[in-house]
Amino acid sequence: MQDLNGSSFIFILVLMLPIGIICQLDSNMNSGSQCSVADNSTSESSFKANLDGLLNLLTINAALHNGFYKTTVGENSDKIYGLVQCRIDVSAENCANCTEEAVAEALKVCSTSKSVQVWFTWCTIRYSNEKFFGIMDPFSAALLNSTNLDDASMVSKGVTFMSEVAAAAAKQALRFNTSVLDGGQSGKRYGMAQCIRDISKSDCNKCLESPLDSFRTTIGNKRNWEVYGTSCSMWYHDFQFFSNISISTNHVLILPLGICQLDSNVNQGSQCSVADNSTSESSFKANLDTLLNLLTQNVALHNGFYKTTVGEYSDKIYGLVQCRADVSTENCANCTKQSVAAASQECSTSKSVEIWFTWCTLRYSNEKFFGVMDSSSSGRLNFTNLENSSMIFKGVSFMKGVASAAATQRLRFNTSVLDAGQFGKRYGMAQCIRDISKGDCSKCLETPLESFIISLEDKRNWEVYGTSCSLWYHDYQFFSNISIPTNHGTRRMSTHGVLTGTTMAMIIMFLFLL
């Protein structure tokens, strides 16, 4: 991509996505609840007010704190402790949505309880009038187990594999791990393990080993199973149930909605200022190395958006990285690493750089740009296949609606689906850099739609990458892990009352999993 000046635009040739293996992406379902004995005092004004305040804080902050947030409301005997954690592979948007669903479920099934936990596939919430932060509890777990049996040759391999997945999860800062076991002619097995992030490495390891030891006979010969616990959970399936995790395979998924293609992460271009040999000077180079290291380390820990500065006065460098809100924490971190590598390769002698990948954008400069909207340096990716003539006006109007809604969201992000009947569906996404205002986001997104209206309106698939905002429009579901209304059926386990002891702690239910 060439350097830009003024109001120039970047035109990029489109890359067609490969079609490869088929897999199933899991959906978010209520996996159970655990409520303490009924206590009519929960209706007292002080407890009720504190609980409402707590649940509101959890709902607001879960997606803003990388899928993990804990807090307290009230004092002394009125204090309530609350925590929410989302699965790492779940997008920020679905983390927020899952938290809202879990809160609603807690108020529905445990309305008179002071100690509550609700499990969904993608998140768990817990609150209590007794402190539980940082304390490992392996006993109140639930097991969902399908009845179909695994190949005899895979039984011992599967258990050993999940023990390794669990051990690796305990060592990670986010207490999370996924892995794939290649069983040859028996096919692949996919494993995931996650602990509540505020427990220690050793407690995480103990928590994950406990159900494996307790249920070794039960789960060892099952082809698909899941364990949900107070402090840890595990998933084991013969299909790729997790989303947006980097695995060496082409990204094609079959969802309950039908066939869709999950987009892959591709270098979409770069914008570099004119070459400046002074970038090799020790002060600039040292500051830049520090800046890029900080961006790489912190973006996944700050919900896919992080900005900072390094140096002072004339040596100061401003840096920012933002991931697409539907991208998992793991892929956000990976995309940032790729962007940093691309910047070093493509813009090694520039002091002002921007790199676009499909899932993230990286920008740094010796001039301050934080909070400033810039709609002039926009990039267009345009497919050559034309849209049906009756869909042209609908498509443009649809994307204007997507853009307008994105500007009003706190993450400056929105997705939507247009049902065009016999012409199929159209999928749209819009996102702005989060540190610009609502008004500037709206202007930024409107600019390419107005400027490229003639070029874009008759195309069936297109993408626009900009300095402060980007848009995507396709005839297939390219985004991942976004909640779209569909009928997934239900599955649920619920234990009312206090679960005590090892026997009562584990609730086993055998269900058919998709």
Side-chain angles (χ1 to χ4, degrees):
M1 185 177 297
Q2 296 179 345
D3 295 342
L4 301 182
N5 292 302
S7 59
S8 300
F9 289 94
I10 310 163
F11 294 90
I12 313 170
L13 293 177
V14 72
L15 298 175
M16 298 300 294
L17 296 176
I19 295 178
I21 67 168
I22 294 174
C23 56
Q24 297 165 270
L25 183 66
D26 69 351
S27 55
N28 191 38
M29 289 182 279
N30 183 350
S31 295
S33 57
Q34 177 183 324
C35 319
S36 63
V37 292
D39 186 341
N40 292 329
S41 67
T42 57
S43 60
E44 295 176 0
S45 58
S46 59
F47 182 88
K48 182 66 168 58
N50 289 342
L51 179 59
D52 289 344
L54 178 82
L55 296 179
N56 185 55
L57 287 172
L58 296 181
T59 302
I60 293 174
N61 286 284
L64 299 177
H65 290 79
N66 193 30
F68 177 80
Y69 185 74
K70 63 181 182 181
T71 190
T72 61
V73 172
E75 296 182 356
N76 303 322
S77 60
D78 289 330
K79 181 176 287 190
I80 309 178
Y81 303 82
L83 178 151
V84 60
Q85 178 165 302
C86 294
R87 216 170 68 181
I88 298 298
D89 68 313
V90 172
S91 69
E93 181 171 349
N94 269 5
C95 177
N97 291 340
C98 185
T99 303
E100 291 179 5
E101 290 181 274
V103 166
E105 182 68 12
L107 296 176
K108 178 182 177 182
V109 302
C110 307
S111 60
T112 58
S113 298
K114 286 191 173 182
S115 184
V116 172
Q117 182 159 10
V118 174
W119 293 280
F120 273 72
T121 314
W122 294 343
C123 71
T124 182
I125 67 163
R126 184 183 182 188
Y127 60 85
S128 178
N129 58 337
E130 297 182 2
K131 186 176 182 180
F132 59 85
F133 296 162
I135 301 173
M136 188 270 289
D137 176 9
F139 300 115
S140 54
L143 170 70
L144 287 78
N145 206 324
S146 65
T147 57
N148 55 321
L149 302 182
D150 206 345
D151 298 334
S153 63
M154 286 297 296
V155 172
S156 60
K157 290 181 181 179
V159 174
T160 300
F161 165 64
M162 284 306 297
S163 293
E164 294 171 351
V165 172
K171 297 176 182 178
Q172 303 301 315
L174 297 180
R175 303 288 186 262
F176 173 85
N177 183 48
T178 63
S179 190
V180 182
L181 171 65
D182 190 344
Q185 63 180 356
S186 298
K188 293 183 177 181
R189 301 295 182 269
Y190 299 82
M192 176 188 292
Q194 176 169 283
C195 291
I196 294 297
R197 294 183 209 169
D198 66 345
I199 64 175
S200 68
K201 170 184 172 181
S202 60
D203 280 346
C204 177
N205 192 63
K206 292 176 185 177
C207 184
L208 290 168
E209 281 297 323
S210 180
L212 282 174
D213 290 336
S214 302
F215 294 136
R216 189 171 295 271
T217 303
T218 306
I219 66 176
N221 61 348
K222 298 301 187 296
R223 197 175 180 93
N224 296 280
W225 53 264
E226 301 176 2
V227 174
Y228 292 88
T230 301
S231 299
C232 61
S233 298
M234 288 186 289
W235 299 256
Y236 177 81
H237 289 292
D238 59 357
F239 58 89
Q240 187 183 323
F241 59 94
F242 40 71
S243 72
N244 226 335
I245 297 295
S246 294
I247 293 179
S248 298
T249 181
N250 291 329
H251 302 282
V252 178
L253 306 176
I254 287 185
L255 299 180
L257 288 169
I259 296 176
C260 65
Q261 296 166 265
L262 180 65
D263 66 354
S264 54
N265 194 37
V266 179
N267 186 342
Q268 305 293 0
S270 58
Q271 177 182 325
C272 319
S273 61
V274 294
D276 186 342
N277 292 329
S278 66
T279 56
S280 61
E281 295 176 0
S282 59
S283 58
F284 182 88
K285 183 66 168 59
N287 288 343
L288 178 59
D289 289 344
T290 301
L291 178 81
L292 295 179
N293 186 52
L294 287 172
L295 295 180
T296 302
Q297 290 181 347
N298 285 282
V299 63
L301 300 176
H302 290 80
N303 193 30
F305 176 81
Y306 186 72
K307 63 181 181 180
T308 190
T309 61
V310 173
E312 296 183 352
Y313 309 114
S314 60
D315 289 330
K316 181 176 285 189
I317 310 177
Y318 302 82
L320 178 151
V321 62
Q322 176 167 303
C323 295
R324 215 170 68 181
D326 70 312
V327 172
S328 70
T329 300
E330 183 174 350
N331 272 3
C332 177
N334 291 339
C335 185
T336 302
K337 292 177 183 177
Q338 290 177 289
S339 298
V340 168
S344 299
Q345 180 179 357
E346 300 173 20
C347 308
S348 59
T349 59
S350 298
K351 287 191 172 182
S352 184
V353 173
E354 182 161 12
I355 302 289
W356 292 282
F357 272 72
T358 314
W359 294 343
C360 69
T361 183
L362 167 75
R363 186 182 182 188
Y364 60 85
S365 177
N366 58 338
E367 296 182 3
K368 187 176 181 180
F369 59 85
F370 295 162
V372 180
M373 188 270 287
D374 176 7
S375 62
S376 61
S377 55
S378 190
R380 177 165 65 96
L381 284 79
N382 207 322
F383 288 72
T384 57
N385 54 321
L386 302 182
E387 180 65 284
N388 185 284
S389 58
S390 63
M391 281 297 298
I392 292 176
F393 177 75
K394 290 181 181 179
V396 174
S397 297
F398 166 64
M399 284 306 296
K400 286 184 177 180
V402 173
S404 178
T408 65
Q409 302 301 312
R410 62 177 179 268
L411 294 181
R412 301 288 185 261
F413 173 84
N414 184 47
T415 63
S416 189
V417 182
L418 171 64
D419 191 343
Q422 62 178 330
F423 300 113
K425 294 182 178 180
R426 301 296 181 268
Y427 300 82
M429 176 189 291
Q431 176 168 284
C432 291
I433 294 296
R434 295 182 204 169
D435 68 345
I436 63 174
S437 69
K438 171 184 173 181
D440 281 345
C441 178
S442 184
K443 291 177 185 176
C444 184
L445 291 168
E446 283 293 325
T447 298
L449 285 173
E450 297 296 337
S451 301
F452 294 139
I453 200 74
I454 297 177
S455 302
L456 296 179
E457 66 180 6
D458 62 345
K459 300 302 187 293
R460 197 176 178 92
N461 296 279
W462 52 263
E463 301 177 0
V464 173
Y465 292 89
T467 300
S468 298
C469 61
S470 299
L471 299 108
W472 296 258
Y473 178 80
H474 290 292
D475 59 356
Y476 57 88
Q477 187 184 322
F478 59 94
F479 41 72
S480 72
N481 223 335
I482 298 297
S483 293
I484 297 176
T486 183
N487 183 14
H488 294 299
T490 60
R491 71 176 181 190
R492 175 180 172 185
M493 69 86 196
S494 180
T495 56
H496 294 280
V498 181
L499 301 182
T500 59
T502 303
T503 303
M504 288 295 292
M506 310 306 290
I507 307 301
I508 305 177
M509 299 179 66
F510 295 91
L511 301 175
F512 287 100
L513 297 180
L514 293 177

